[in-house]
Amino acid sequence: MAERLKAKSKNFSAVLPDRSAHFDVPLTAVTVALLAFGVLMVYSASMYSGEVNYGNEFFFMYKQIFGAIGGLAMFAMTVVDYHKLAKSRFVILAVSILLLALVLIPGVGIENYGARRWLNLGVITLQSSEVAKVGYVIFAAAYMSRNSKKMTTIRGVFPLIAVGVVICALIMLEPNMSVTMCVALLMLTMLVIGGMRVKHLVMLVVPLAALVVVLIAVEPYRLARLLAFLDPWASPLEEGYQLLQSFYGLGSGGLLGVGLFNSRQKYLFLPFAESDFIFSVIGEEFGYIGCLIVIAAFCFMIYRLAVIAQNAADRFGFFLSSGMAALIGVQVLINIAVVTGSIPPTGIPLPFISAGSSSLIVFCAGIGMCQSVSLRSHASVRALL
């Protein structure tokens, strides 16, 4: 019997160990905790704006709960053998690019605040760029696992760069520079994880940095945002307004905060308090200590994903888990940097917490993919022997 189990363990894709023993419980626990905290904070940050604009203080909270139910996607993707994602990498990439292209079609994509970034699916609106980010992680992980020896050459990394550029270009046409920057940083991080040489990385980063400068210079509103970042008090009622209101929220929170539901900035002073700037409300209500706890929760999540990557049974599992860790890390870093005035203002949600159903569902599915890697890891295989 033992010999038969040993033989089966050689085919990792066929192994489905005991889930109770090898399911990453800490990762699930921190994910569920962030989802629950997100529902609470979305309600707190939007209760007044929901009442004023929609006649229902629970308007955004209900939508957030619906998105949190998308946590079922996490368990669904846990059951799916992650190797099937590698086999479907071209389909996943094609769907991601198609969704980005559909958004740009007038009448199909939903325009809001001068940008066309969403698709109306009836029950929910889907932000295509959220799907594209995870789609790129899957494609890049599959490519690098099959071409690991080529990753030290320009020719080897070119397909990943080309795909990343196409995705970034489509997102910029929405326009959405913040998500474009997120995808670009995700691409660079995955290339480094995949073994890209430093000199090749420099050759890629220099023109990308120059392109960012050009993109800012050609659009007056981006240049205005940059100037507001450098001196928000120069335009306190215009471009600098949102950043100043974020400062007021974080500053008034002090060490321990003003208390749950007691934020003053959410009374229509701070724009997008329930989404891109929800971290400012967290800082106001829970203070510096509360912010540190939230950051620690994300760090713990990334640590658990790194552990899964380290124990992965194959390269694809390693790159898939590493890619999700990189995506979460990059997006959290950008969001908090914007809210604290560390980088120029740009809109990007805080994973698992900010309002947005499509973001919640996609990120939960990403965690589920990593749980699938964990279930089929070296530790799981050894447990059968």
Side-chain angles (χ1 to χ4, degrees):
M1 184 64 178
E3 292 300 323
R4 290 175 60 188
L5 289 175
K6 288 181 180 179
K8 288 184 179 180
S9 69
K10 293 181 180 179
N11 185 1
F12 295 128
S13 63
V15 175
L16 185 59
D18 175 45
R19 294 175 190 173
S20 63
H22 307 290
F23 189 80
D24 196 313
V25 176
L27 176 60
T28 301
V30 71
T31 302
V32 172
L34 286 173
L35 289 173
F37 183 67
V39 171
L40 180 67
M41 289 311 304
V42 165
Y43 169 68
S44 178
S46 67
M47 56 192 297
Y48 183 75
S49 63
E51 180 67 34
V52 171
N53 297 318
Y54 302 96
N56 183 0
E57 65 177 291
F58 301 104
F59 178 81
F60 289 99
M61 189 191 76
Y62 288 154
K63 294 179 67 175
Q64 191 74 357
I65 290 176
F66 177 81
I69 293 175
L72 294 174
M74 176 172 63
F75 296 101
M77 292 307 299
T78 299
V79 175
V80 175
D81 187 343
Y82 70 95
H83 294 94
K84 293 181 180 179
L85 298 174
K87 295 177 181 178
S88 306
R89 62 193 182 280
F90 292 114
V91 175
I92 294 172
L93 178 63
V95 170
S96 300
I97 293 176
L98 177 62
L99 290 174
L100 289 174
L102 287 175
V103 168
L104 303 176
I105 300 176
V108 178
I110 301 174
E111 186 171 350
N112 200 5
Y113 297 104
R116 190 177 284 112
R117 304 172 183 174
W118 298 269
L119 292 174
N120 189 353
L121 302 182
V123 180
I124 64 170
T125 56
L126 175 67
Q127 190 168 357
S128 301
S129 57
E130 296 294 335
V131 178
K133 286 184 289 189
V134 176
Y136 182 79
V137 169
I138 295 171
F139 175 79
Y143 177 86
M144 292 190 298
S145 65
R146 285 167 169 75
N147 301 276
S148 58
K149 295 182 179 179
K150 298 180 181 180
M151 291 302 296
T152 57
T153 66
I154 291 292
R155 181 178 296 181
V157 300
F158 179 77
L160 291 184
I161 296 175
V163 170
V165 168
V166 170
I167 291 176
C168 287
L170 288 172
I171 296 175
M172 274 302 301
L173 291 175
E174 295 180 356
N176 193 336
M177 188 169 182
S178 58
V179 177
T180 301
M181 292 295 295
C182 181
V183 174
L185 290 174
L186 171 66
M187 177 184 69
L188 292 174
T189 304
M190 292 204 70
L191 288 173
V192 171
I193 294 172
M196 185 180 192
R197 290 183 175 178
V198 175
K199 64 177 182 180
H200 295 157
L201 180 64
V202 173
M203 291 170 58
L204 180 61
V205 169
V206 171
L208 282 178
L211 180 60
V212 169
V213 175
V214 172
L215 291 174
I216 292 175
V218 297
E219 285 289 350
Y221 81 91
R222 292 183 192 136
L223 184 59
R225 284 187 176 184
L226 177 60
L227 294 176
F229 161 71
L230 296 175
D231 185 11
W233 286 272
S235 55
L237 298 179
E238 296 178 1
E239 291 297 334
Y241 176 80
Q242 189 173 31
L243 185 55
L244 288 177
Q245 296 305 314
S246 179
F247 287 163
Y248 294 152
L250 291 170
S252 62
L255 185 63
L256 298 176
V258 298
L260 181 63
F261 305 135
N262 293 329
S263 166
R264 292 180 289 272
Q265 293 305 109
K266 67 186 178 186
Y267 290 102
L268 303 184
F269 292 106
L270 177 63
F272 305 107
E274 75 283 350
S275 55
D276 298 340
F277 277 74
I278 198 168
F279 190 77
S280 181
V281 178
I282 294 172
E284 185 179 5
E285 295 191 346
F286 293 97
Y288 180 71
I289 299 299
C291 290
L292 287 182
I293 292 174
V294 172
I295 293 173
F298 280 115
C299 289
F300 181 71
M301 173 180 280
I302 293 171
Y303 163 73
R304 293 310 308 173
L305 292 174
V307 170
I308 292 175
Q310 184 179 20
N311 291 325
D314 51 27
R315 287 191 180 94
F316 178 61
F318 169 79
F319 289 128
L320 184 64
S321 300
S322 299
M324 278 306 303
L327 174 57
I328 293 171
V330 166
Q331 191 153 328
V332 169
L333 184 62
I334 292 177
N335 178 273
I336 295 178
V338 167
V339 170
T340 57
S342 302
I343 62 175
T346 185
I348 194 166
L350 187 63
F352 304 101
I353 296 180
S354 290
S357 298
S358 55
S359 176
L360 288 177
I361 294 172
V362 170
F363 272 104
C364 284
I367 294 295
M369 293 186 303
C370 296
Q371 289 283 16
S372 179
V373 176
S374 179
L375 286 173
R376 297 160 180 87
S377 66
H378 286 307
S380 299
V381 172
R382 285 196 298 268
L384 293 177
L385 302 180

